[in-house]
C-alpha cells in the first residue's frame, strides 16, 4: 500500500500473485482480514482500518463495486518508522502520496534540491524522537522547541477527531520545524533564517509558514503578558 495507488484488496493480491487464480483468492482473503479485521467463526480482530492506519479511498467499478484503500497519514508515518524504510522507499511513498501531504510530499523533489538528505529527517519525525525528547540539545538561537510546542498547542483541541486535511497541515508544520534541528556544534546555521533556501523560490510556501511563525510569536507574547501579570509579590 505504501508504494501503490489506492487499491482494492483484489488489486493488492494481484500485485503479489498475478497468475494463479486460486492462490490469488486466498491472498485476497488475507488482505481483506488484514484491512477490515475478522468477525467470523467466533473470532474477532481489528484490522488496520479500525486502527486508523488505512482508510477507504473511493470505489472501484472494474469488476463490480469494491472499496479502494490507501494508507492514512498515521499509516504513512508508521511505515516509515516501524518498517525502517530506506530513503528510496520513502521517495516512492512521497510520489504516491503527494496529494495527501502536499506541502511535504508534493514538494519532495524540490525540497531535495534545497536541503538534500535532510528531507529524510522525516524518519525522526515519524518516531517522535525530536518532538518528544527534551534531552536533545539544540542551539539557543533556533526556536525549535518553541515552534514544536506551538504546533502541539495549535491542534490539541481537535486531536481526537482531527480531519486528514488538518492532520496534513500539522505534520507539515512539524516537518519544516524539524528542518531547523541541528545537533550542537554541527552547523553554522542559526535561527529561522536557515529555512530561507527553501522559501526563496516558493513564495506560496513561504507565506504559509510565515503565518504560522507570526501566530506563534503572538501566542508567546500573550502568554508572557499573562505571566507578567501573575508575578509573585
Amino acid at each position: 500500500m505504501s508504494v501503490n495507488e489506492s487499491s482494492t484488496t483484489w488489486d493488492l493480491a494481484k500485485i503479489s500473485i498475478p497468475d494463479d487464480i486460486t492462490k490469488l483468492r486466498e491472498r485476497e482473503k488475507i488482505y481483506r482480514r488484514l484491512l477490515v479485521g475478522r468477525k467470523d467463526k467466533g473470532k474477532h480482530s481489528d484490522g488496520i482500518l479500525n486502527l486508523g492506519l488505512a482508510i477507504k479511498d473511493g470505489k472501484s467499478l472494474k469488476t463490480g463495486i469494491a472499496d479502494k484503500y490507501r494508507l492514512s497519514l498515521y499509516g504513512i508515518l508508521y511505515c516509515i518508522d516501524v518498517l525502517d524504510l530506506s530513503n528510496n522507499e520513502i521517495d516512492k511513498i512521497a510520489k504516491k502520496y503527494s496529494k495527501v501531504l502536499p506541502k511535504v510530499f508534493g514538494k519532495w523533489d524540490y525540497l531535495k534540491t534545497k536541503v538534500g538528505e535532510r528531507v529524510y529527517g522525516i524518519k525522526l519525525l515519524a518516531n517522535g524522537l525530536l518532538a518528544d525528547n527534551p534531552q536533545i540539545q539544540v542551539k539557543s538561537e533556533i526556536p525549535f522547541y518553541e515552534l514544536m510546542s506551538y504546533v502541539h498547542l495549535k491542534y490539541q483541541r481537535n486531536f481526537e477527531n482531527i480531519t486528514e486535511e488538518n492532520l496534513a497541515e500539522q505534520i507539515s508544520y512539524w516537518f519544516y520545524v524539524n528542518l531547523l534541528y541541528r545537533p550542537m556544534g554541527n552547523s553554522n546555521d542559526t535561527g529561522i533564517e536557515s529555512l530561507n533556501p527553501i522559501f526563496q523560490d516558493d513564495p506560496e510556501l513561504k507565506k504559509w509558514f510565515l503565518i504560522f511563525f507570526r501566530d506563534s510569536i503572538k501566542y508567546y507574547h500573550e502568554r508572557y503578558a499573562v505571566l507578567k501579570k501573575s508575578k509573585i509579590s
Side-chain angles (χ1 to χ4, degrees):
M1 292 179 71
S2 65
V3 295
N4 291 286
E5 305 289 348
S6 298
S7 306
T8 65
T9 51
W10 184 258
D11 291 331
L12 291 169
K14 285 170 63 179
I15 293 170
S16 55
I17 305 176
D19 300 321
D20 192 321
I21 294 297
T22 302
K23 290 182 179 179
L24 197 156
R25 285 173 179 160
E26 284 299 314
R27 182 61 60 89
E28 194 269 345
K29 289 179 182 178
I30 292 172
Y31 285 149
R32 181 169 296 280
R33 287 174 182 169
L34 178 64
L35 277 161
V36 303
R38 181 173 184 175
K39 298 180 181 178
D40 62 327
K41 298 181 180 180
K43 297 181 179 180
H44 173 78
S45 62
D46 286 331
I48 62 174
L49 198 66
N50 304 99
L51 298 174
L53 298 178
I55 63 172
K56 292 182 181 180
D57 189 37
K59 301 280 187 180
S60 171
L61 304 177
K62 288 188 293 185
T63 55
I65 300 174
D67 289 320
K68 296 167 65 177
Y69 303 92
R70 65 166 171 80
L71 292 177
S72 68
L73 285 169
Y74 292 117
I76 291 169
L77 295 180
Y78 180 88
C79 286
I80 291 173
D81 178 29
V82 177
L83 300 183
D84 193 24
L85 299 183
S86 67
N87 291 352
N88 184 53
E89 289 170 324
I90 294 174
D91 288 341
K92 291 178 180 178
I93 287 183
K95 182 178 181 180
K96 295 298 182 182
Y97 286 87
S98 60
K99 293 181 180 179
V100 179
L101 196 59
K103 290 185 176 69
V104 178
F105 289 159
K107 307 276 186 181
W108 198 250
D109 290 339
Y110 168 75
L111 289 170
K112 288 173 72 175
T113 67
K114 297 297 183 181
V115 298
E117 296 290 298
R118 285 172 54 208
V119 294
Y120 301 109
I122 198 170
K123 296 177 184 179
L124 298 177
L125 182 61
N127 67 28
L129 178 63
L130 294 181
D132 299 332
N133 190 345
Q135 302 303 317
I136 290 178
Q137 299 295 310
V138 181
K139 290 185 176 183
S140 59
E141 310 97 301
I142 298 177
F144 176 80
Y145 289 115
E146 292 81 1
L147 292 176
M148 277 290 190
S149 297
Y150 181 66
V151 175
H152 173 72
L153 291 165
K154 181 178 175 66
Y155 290 97
Q156 65 179 352
R157 291 183 180 178
N158 62 347
F159 179 77
E160 293 295 330
N161 58 353
I162 192 169
T163 65
E164 188 167 59
E165 182 179 3
N166 282 339
L167 181 59
E169 287 289 282
Q170 182 179 14
I171 292 171
S172 299
Y173 288 131
W174 271 337
F175 176 83
Y176 286 98
V177 174
N178 180 50
L179 290 177
L180 292 172
Y181 170 67
R182 295 286 195 286
M184 294 291 286
N186 279 19
S187 172
N188 293 323
D189 291 346
T190 60
I192 199 73
E193 295 84 1
S194 61
L195 293 178
N196 280 344
I198 295 172
F199 297 145
Q200 66 184 2
D201 294 322
D202 194 326
E204 184 178 346
L205 191 63
K206 179 178 181 179
K207 180 180 178 181
W208 166 77
F209 191 82
L210 278 179
I211 290 172
F212 160 75
F213 184 61
R214 288 164 182 165
D215 285 346
S216 69
I217 292 173
K218 180 181 177 182
Y219 169 80
Y220 285 113
H221 274 311
E222 290 174 350
R223 296 312 301 166
Y224 172 73
V226 170
L227 287 171
K228 193 172 182 181
K229 289 180 181 178
S230 304
K231 64 181 179 180
I232 298 174
S233 59

